[in-house]
């Protein structure tokens, strides 16, 4: 046999051996891998990807953090697109965001912020102290079109660029809630430099926003907007690959879209829909206390009927607030007690409250000389009937609340009638000029800080102020003045406890209930954490942890 033939045979034998080995491995390796997977415990964990679609009621007006007012679509989207120097955590505490840290000096008058140096705007331009200074100057500019309350706060603050990454604010006097205002989203100086005052409202960037937040806007149309993760974001990267918000003309249309499965979620649920949506096998309803909102029966303390504290106390005892929570909020709220939310660190649960006690209410009215002298069911005094109109706006929830309050008051001898009007008319014609006797409205707080100076200090009782009841108590004035100047939380807690005690004694108005925030989302959406809300947009606080997709990984062994 020649050498070439022998070589061919050896190669053929070697090839058969390789093919046989490959065939064997094709069987053995999958079996071994399967056996290995059976022996090694696996865990399901979040994975990147997935798109979330939320229904939004209305359309955006200004996606600009310093022009935000009452448009909830603006507020929700801006909370994702923009960042502030600070932010609030779920406990209402101020924590760093665009700032790394800060120092408070000069007895609470000076705030020196050191900024992060790894931040880029959505157009990849580096963030610096120029942007901080510009944003504050824009709020202070003549013709500023944003919130008057925000403008009023910042007008007496001096802002100074110390370096490219440090900035100092100097206040004329200490103001304890100041740090919370530094959570306002900041604007890019390089895009808005020529848009101060009224000109800012016409900037094209109000609807093509560039921020430093975790998501950037990639598409906008009349039907909705799409956001995608900001690749250069300095915080944790989200699992979700896309967020979309579809615009609907009203709540009914948005609810229909949710129930048809056209969207994954709907926030700001009407309490009447909560029970039905909770029964769905496709949705989960999340609820949390709404930190910044409560319903109030404002009593005009300068009116001849309600200038007597004992009459105001009788009203407080006459109203069944637990019934209001059930009948108006379908159980989605808490019965009112006082002007500080139960979710606040300043809330004093030991402060006096007014339980539902019609007999006690009748006794207080008797004590004040209001009796039914002619047997017509209406109490009177010195020839004057205990009669008045309760005003409110033509919102269904407020109207229902007013009807039940009037009904309770009629039971103890008041002649109380409800009158509903448009919100603008209620505000301009009655509330602003204090030409009402009693009115029901929802009180919205600007921040989660318990500073309620603008609502209950006597200086705020005139035209343009928000002390609608007209309460004028020197003790309350003194407490609220010190509480907003003192940066020591322990001392502030003591002061607000004293305030709540005195407020309850004076009973200038009646807090009816604290509503809950309700939000329905697809059960496919995981990782949601909904704690106490500072506003509805706070539902996005843990957005980086939301996920739709999952993957299998080896389980991490627990401790031995």
């Amino acid at each position: 046999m020649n050498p070439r033939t022998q070589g061919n045979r050896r190669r053929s034998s070697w090839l058969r051996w390789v093919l046989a080995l490959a065939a064997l491995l094709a069987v053995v390796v999958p079996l071994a891998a399967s056996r290995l997977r059976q022996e090694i415990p696996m865990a399901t964990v979040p994975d990147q990807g997935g798109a979330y679609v939320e229904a939004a009621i209305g359309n955006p007006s200004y996606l600009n953090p310093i022009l935000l007012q009452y448009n909830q679509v603006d507020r929700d989207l801006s909370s994702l697109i923009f960042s502030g120097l600070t932010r609030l955590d779920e406990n209402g505490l101020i924590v760093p965001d665009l700032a790394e840290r800060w120092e408070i000096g000069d007895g609470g008058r000076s705030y020196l912020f050191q900024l992060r140096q790894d931040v880029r705007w959505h157009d990849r331009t580096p963030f610096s102290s120029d942007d901080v200074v510009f944003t504050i100057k824009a709020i202070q500019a003549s013709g500023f079109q944003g919130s008057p309350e925000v403008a009023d706060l910042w007008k007496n603050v001096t802002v100074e660029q110390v370096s490219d990454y440090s900035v100092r604010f100097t206040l004329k006097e200490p103001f304890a809630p100041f740090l919370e205002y530094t959570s306002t989203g900041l604007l890019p100086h390089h895009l808005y430099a020529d848009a101060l005052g009224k000109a800012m409202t016409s900037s094209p960037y109000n609807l093509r926003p560039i921020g430093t937040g975790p998501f950037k806007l990639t598409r906008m149309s009349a039907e909705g907007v799409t956001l995608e993760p900001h690749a250069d974001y300095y915080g944790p990267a989200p699992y979700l690959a896309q967020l979309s918000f579809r615009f609907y003309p009203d709540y009914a249309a948005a609810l229909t879209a949710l129930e048809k499965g056209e969207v994954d979620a709907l926030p700001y649920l009407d309490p009447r829909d909560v029970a039905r949506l909770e029964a769905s096998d496709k949705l989960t309803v999340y609820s949390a206390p709404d930190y910044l909102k409560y319903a109030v029966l404002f009593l005009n303390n300068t009116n001849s009927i309600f200038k007597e504290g004992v009459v105001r106390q009788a009203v407080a005892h006459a109203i069944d607030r637990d019934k209001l929570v059930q009948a108006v909020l379908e159980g989605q709220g808490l019965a009112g007690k006082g002007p500080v939310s139960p979710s606040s660190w300043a809330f004093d649960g030991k402060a006096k409250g007014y339980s539902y006690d019609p007999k006690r209410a009748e006794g207080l009215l008797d004590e004040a000389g209001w009796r039914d002298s002619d047997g017509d069911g209406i109490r009177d005094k010195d020839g004057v009937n205990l009669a008045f109109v309760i005003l409110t706006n033509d919102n269904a929830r407020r109207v229902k609340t007013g009807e039940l309050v009037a009904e309770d008051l009629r039971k103890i001898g008041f002649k109380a009638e409800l009158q509903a009007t448009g919100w603008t008319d209620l505000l301009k014609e009655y509330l602003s000029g204090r030409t009402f006797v009693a009115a029901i409205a929802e009180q919205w707080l600007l921040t989660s800080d318990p500073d309620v100076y603008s609502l209950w200090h006597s200086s705020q009782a005139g035209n343009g102020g928000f002390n609608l009841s007209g309460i004028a108590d020197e003790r309350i004035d003194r407490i609220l003045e010190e509480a907003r100047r003192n940066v020591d939380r322990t001392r502030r807690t003591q002061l607000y406890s004293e305030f709540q005690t005195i407020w309850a004694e004076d009973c200038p108005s009646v807090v009816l209930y604290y509503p809950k925030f309700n939000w329905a989302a697809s059960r496919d959406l995981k990782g949601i954490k909904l704690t106490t809300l500072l506003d509805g947009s706070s539902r996005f606080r843990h957005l980086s942890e939301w996920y739709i997709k999952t993957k299998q990984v080896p389980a991490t062994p627990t401790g031995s």
Side-chain angles (χ1 to χ4, degrees), residues 303-324:
N303 180 268
S304 58
I305 293 176
F306 291 122
K307 67 181 180 181
E308 296 180 87
V310 67
V311 177
R312 302 194 298 267
Q313 292 172 0
V315 170
H317 276 303
I319 299 173
D320 189 345
R321 290 180 281 284
D322 288 323
K323 182 175 70 175
L324 292 179

Side-chain angles (χ1 to χ4, degrees), residues 8-22:
N8 287 338
R9 287 183 175 178
R10 284 196 296 271
R11 283 194 293 273
S12 176
S13 176
W14 177 82
L15 181 60
R16 285 195 300 272
W17 181 84
V18 170
L19 291 174
L21 179 61

Side-chain angles (χ1 to χ4, degrees), residues 452-464:
V452 289
Y453 179 96
S454 64
L455 306 178
W456 305 109
H457 191 277
S458 63
S459 66
Q460 306 301 302
N463 286 347

